Amino acid sequence: MRIAEVAKTYDITPDTLRYYERIGLLPHIQRNASGVREYSDSDCARIEFIKCMRGANVSIEALQAYISLLDGGDDTIAERKAILEQQRDIAQQRIAEMQAGLDRLNYKIDNYDALMSKVR
Amino acid sequence: MRIAEVAKTYDITPDTLRYYERIGLLPHIQRNASGVREYSDSDCARIEFIKCMRGANVSIEALQAYISLLDGGDDTIAERKAILEQQRDIAQQRIAEMQAGLDRLNYKIDNYDALMSKVR
DNA sequence: GCTTGACCTCGAGCCGAGTCTAGGCGATAT
DNA sequence: ATATCGCCTAGACTCGGCTCGAGGTCAAGC
């Protein structure tokens, strides 16, 4: 898969994909004879994972830490799990905060509804 | 209430409070004889609202739009409600995305759990 | 009467995360 | 054979949202 197709598949710009590679979130992607990136299935799997994690607000920095541990083999399992747990806790908190905001929005919208049907 | 106390109450830095005032999210706050801000209850109510909305990922820009409509009286009710609805939709989507990431994190953590109890 | 601490203003600086520009190459279509 | 297209690189730029620094005022305590 070339960059444009990957970009379309995961809804990430080519610029961002190159950026991720540059900063080490992706391994060095294989190139064809003319220097064009050919993304393998495992590259794509990682991209999908990164996209999902970024969606959960996981920072680039945390992903770098996690991914660099992947190369360390089984010795890094505990450390990797610790990162995931920490990110899970952060995500949970963030979701709760967002939910509180959403509830507030709904409450205010209901008030506007009431107000509008009254005034009319 | 002076700025330090407000800051502590809502867990927002004084810098940010001044910034919000500068960009119009807060009205011009009353000053005492020596030029120090004295936040009223209604100022605080608005700060609390802003904090909650920012927690739900509502952009500064959307808040500016909403808040500037408040001065327009009843004529702007429909418009204000429209903003809230739009922000609600965005928040809902964002929460769903975050939840997907959280689920993925939990799934991976479970896998690490299994892996670790096996290897040990 | 001087220090200390909380506050003030203005403008510049910072951070995370991309995003864009310029200049260039190789393959395909006309 | 020349134009066009998709891709390449390096490095600069953007954007949202704060955050900081310098330099200054004022009230209270020693």
Side-chain angles (χ1 to χ4, degrees), chain B residues 6 9 37 41 61 85 106 108 119:
Chain B
V6 176
T9 304
R37 287 170 179 81
D41 287 1
E61 198 184 4
E85 284 170 340
N106 278 320
K108 284 192 87 79
V119 165

Side-chain angles (χ1 to χ4, degrees), chain B residues 64-75:
Chain B
Q64 283 174 324
Y66 178 79
I67 282 171
S68 74
L69 287 173
L70 290 176
D71 295 336
D74 289 358
D75 294 357

Side-chain angles (χ1 to χ4, degrees), chain B residues 75-119:
Chain B
D75 294 357
T76 68
I77 287 181
E79 223 176 321
R80 277 185 261 158
K81 191 185 153 212
I83 292 179
L84 297 182
E85 284 170 340
Q86 193 190 344
Q87 295 305 315
R88 174 199 54 193
D89 294 350
I90 294 171
Q92 249 159 8
Q93 273 195 13
R94 198 74 248 295
I95 288 173
E97 203 184 352
M98 299 241 339
Q99 188 61 54
L102 178 56
D103 292 350
R104 184 70 164 273
L105 278 165
N106 278 320
Y107 175 78
K108 284 192 87 79
I109 289 166
D110 285 352
N111 277 356
Y112 274 107
D113 273 341
L115 195 61
M116 285 168 82
S117 58
K118 212 173 179 183
V119 165

